Amino acid sequence: MIHPTGPAYLETPLRRHRQMDQDFYAWRDTWSERRLEWSGDTTLGVWIQIAVEWFPLNISGKPFLPVGAPNRAWPDTQTYTQRDYGHRIGIYRMMDALKARGVSVSAFLNARVAQRYPILMREILGEGWEIVAASLDAGSIHHEGLDEKTEAEMIAETLAIFDGFGVTPVAWHSPSWSQSTRTPRLLLEAGMTAMADWVNDEVPYRFDTGAGSIIALPSTMELSDREMLAVRKQPLKDVETSFVAAARRLAKEAKESGHGRLLTINLSPWIMGQPYRIAAFERILDEIFAIEGARSVTVPEIIEATIGL
Amino acid sequence: MMEASVDTGQYRYAPMRGRPKISMPGGARLAFWLAPNIEHYEWQPPINPNRYPFRTLPDVLYYSSRDYGNRIGFRRLADEMAKRDIRGSVSLSVAVCDHYPDIIQRCNDLGWELFSHGVYNSRYFYGMTPEEQRQVVIDSRETLAKVGQRLDGWLTPAITPSLETQEILAQEGIRYTLDYFHDEQPMPLNLKSGKLISVPYSIEMNDIPMVAWNNTSVDEMFVSLKAQFDRLYIEGADSARVMCFAIHPLVLGHPHRIDAFAEFLDYVKSHDQVWYPTAREIADWYYENHYDWMSAWLSGLEGEQ
């Protein structure tokens, strides 16, 4: 049965000349123009984001269930404990691989992880990983159905928990890459410089929150183990090929254009930290950082390298 | 109106076996065409009661992953096509002419054809009345005229036509539709009024179904594309075929996929007897050389249509 849409369905009030259908940013041609310039001999920045997320056993599923959330009949201990494995085992395996190669990392960290597992929080800090605040937990979905006060409190509580460890993040990531229309402004008001939620660009850009601007950092779903392994269920070999192909392509573009390029990768310890996958992870790192001009970078350096922000 | 139909009633059963042969310019075996889908999906579209593809609204991931195609992917894709001198026939959300005139300028500079894929790809035809659908066709014609292109072809947004849609297209003077997937050659449609042919588009050789629905890896995608091309190139020696690769900058424009796409184009280009028309040129060639006699042949066939 098909339901009628009605005449209002033809109305397009935001069909505007040379403007998006929202007021956050303008269209631009990122690819052709010079946007990034790295220091030294670097031509390809590689931003490795490690998603350190706690999936509560009673995650609400409002307004949607995040990828990786417990979703079987109560209590879904199978999923819950498998995700928790990432915090106990997987992340340390990845830390070792990254440290051995001298790779800088940004932890996209749920504050509840720090609160619940302070030992892990101190280990992360001890590794020198940058902390990108990723709200409270994986079920803390920022969405239009939240009232502004509730959302502001989620942000404030997150930052207060990190403050307890002496950490003041400059950048934010919203769980499941979900925001309300208010989120960017609330982040700015909470003192954030940048956010990594919009997956529409490969270089930072100015994002108008309606009450001042915040920096939108590149973010990625395509080049994540959550998308390729947990959702699309691709063979590990293909995932490895994709990460390396992306790095080689961007390095080639950097060489040909003379412009800097940035590769953004997002990985989860409960996925990539498994014993049977860790060798592939190590090979990915080895192959990417063997590329001439490739170097790992984190938020301050990415912002510093951006031209005309 | 036609909701109770058991079939479209718009084309006659006409098998490839026993079908009169068709021939292409220069004796090509195969017309190979690329259909870049340059689309805009709205930030806060009106909800169509028949389809809700979002996690929640607004959906930053849904919106921004599609916006990537217009900010980054398009340039990467257009550059690889231009390097190999292959034009695109663009399945265009015509509001792209308003929001992104620079993209349209680039398409025009490259000699690409623009055809309509509706106003926005977030406005499904499900549930629209025929007259409302007609308004979108008229809007498309007027919008494309402003950027110097004649509206000849059509693909319904998100492929959501009703059975009336093809009738409206023929009445409004559209030359070809891409909504039907029943053949490997252009085919006349039987409509109540006007003339319309289907030109083969593809829901198989299409990066969205491959990647987003079927979880195809990059390597496997191009193994399939080469196999499809190889077989059609062989069979096209007997009677010419059309191969379309439907592509999306938001998919193939990513750095981990673009080189495999470029390599596939090189593979196609390493063959002699391939014609590289736009979809409009396929339709023109077919109307001029085949439409009348193929229609006569079809009308003599037995069986349902």
Side-chain angles (χ1 to χ4, degrees), chain A residues 3 5 9 11 14-15 18-19 21-22 25-27 176 199-202 222 232 242 249 253, chain B residues 40 43 50 55 63-64 67-68 70-71 76 80 98-99 102 123-124 127 139 143 215 257 259:
Chain A
H3 304 282
T5 49
Y9 196 67
E11 291 169 12
L14 291 169
R15 185 174 169 184
R18 222 175 255 285
Q19 273 182 290
D21 59 340
Q22 30 79 12
Y25 55 85
W27 178 86
S176 292
V199 297
N200 56 352
D201 213 318
E202 292 175 358
E222 287 278 355
R232 294 187 181 156
S242 288
R249 168 71 191 201
E253 287 183 5
Chain B
H40 182 90
W43 171 236
N50 304 292
R55 303 181 304 176
Y63 181 83
S64 64
D67 189 31
Y68 176 95
N70 293 330
R71 277 170 93 82
R76 206 169 254 147
E80 295 298 345
D98 303 296
H99 295 292
D102 292 355
R123 303 284 178 123
Y124 312 127
D139 182 323
T143 305
N215 302 328
R257 300 199 182 100
D259 282 343

Side-chain angles (χ1 to χ4, degrees), chain A residues 135-136 142-158 180 182-183 185-187 189-190:
Chain A
S135 202
L136 291 167
H142 294 246
H143 65 99
E144 206 62 14
L146 292 177
D147 63 73
E148 178 165 337
K149 184 163 169 288
T150 305
E151 193 180 357
E153 282 168 4
M154 286 160 64
I155 296 167
E157 188 183 356
T158 300
S180 73
R182 295 171 289 273
T183 309
R185 174 172 55 81
L186 295 176
L187 293 175
E189 286 168 3

Side-chain angles (χ1 to χ4, degrees), chain A residues 74-93:
Chain A
W74 175 264
D76 183 3
T77 53
Q78 174 188 293
T79 302
Y80 179 86
T81 56
Q82 196 282 342
R83 306 302 181 253
D84 227 18
Y85 168 97
H87 303 312
R88 301 164 68 93
I89 314 284
I91 193 168
Y92 295 101
R93 200 170 269 134

Side-chain angles (χ1 to χ4, degrees), chain B residues 207-267:
Chain B
D207 56 1
I208 291 266
M210 283 176 153
V211 170
W213 306 350
N214 301 335
N215 302 328
T216 310
S217 69
V218 182
D219 284 353
E220 198 185 338
M221 185 191 315
F222 289 99
V223 166
S224 298
L225 276 152
K226 285 180 186 170
Q228 179 96 351
F229 176 86
D230 286 346
R231 179 51 63 110
L232 291 175
Y233 193 73
I234 291 167
E235 294 181 355
D238 182 46
S239 182
R241 305 300 164 102
V242 175
M243 177 172 173
C244 174
F245 184 19
I247 58 181
H248 297 73
L250 71 98
V251 177
L252 285 186
H254 280 276
H256 58 298
R257 300 199 182 100
I258 190 72
D259 282 343
F261 172 63
E263 190 191 311
F264 172 64
L265 296 185
D266 285 338
Y267 179 76

